[in-house]
Every structure is written in C-alpha cells, then in structure tokens.
Amino acid sequence: AVGLHCVLSGSGFLAASLAYQYHEVQVVWIACVFLSCLSSGARFYYQSAVPEYEPPGLYKGFMNMALAWAFVVPTYCYAAGYVKFR
C-alpha cells in the first residue's frame, strides 16, 4: 500500500510540475483534482449511508490518475507548442 501511494503521489507531483508551467494545464489539472475529490467524497458519504456498499478499492485511484493524465498530457503538449491545431 505504501508503494502504491508513492506511485500515485509521484504521479501527482509530476502533473503539478507540468501544470506550474502553463495556465491551461493548471486549469485542466485543478479540474481533474476537483472532480476526483468530489467523486471520493460522494463515495464516502454513500458508504456512510449504505453500510453494505463496497468501495471500488485501489484500482479507482489508478483509473482516476490515468484519466487525469489523458487530459493533462495533450493539454501540456498543446500549451508547450508540440502540437498545433489548424
């Protein structure tokens, strides 16, 4: 569990460092973090209300991070000038 937390935290630090460089990436990263927190909070309160609910487990964190990277990387590439849209 500690190793998994290190991987997810390191990935988050890397995404935050990319976001620091360009405003567009900052907006996308903050939106991803906000939506992930909103989802986690909703699951927490749902589990409080419905005790038999089984939370999704660790894979949900990896899925959220992969989804965030799917938005952050293209935005970074666009902001840095690696990709041009015509």
Side-chain angles (χ1 to χ4, degrees):
V2 173
L4 176 64
H5 183 72
C6 281
V7 169
L8 291 174
S9 294
S11 180
F13 281 125
L14 180 60
S17 70
L18 294 178
Y20 181 75
Q21 298 176 25
Y22 301 101
H23 179 71
E24 297 89 346
V25 185
Q26 288 176 0
V27 171
V28 169
W29 176 241
I30 289 297
C32 290
V33 169
F34 175 75
L35 292 173
S36 181
C37 289
L38 191 65
S39 172
S40 295
R43 278 194 317 277
F44 171 79
Y45 286 111
Y46 183 76
Q47 185 176 7
S48 298
V50 182
E52 58 273 0
Y53 171 72
E54 285 291 321
L58 296 177
Y59 77 92
K60 184 69 174 162
F62 277 117
M63 287 177 34
N64 285 348
M65 189 57 72
L67 187 60
W69 277 108
F71 286 100
V72 168
V73 169
T75 306
Y76 178 81
C77 290
Y78 173 74
Y82 298 125
V83 176
K84 302 271 191 234
F85 293 108
R86 296 176 199 213

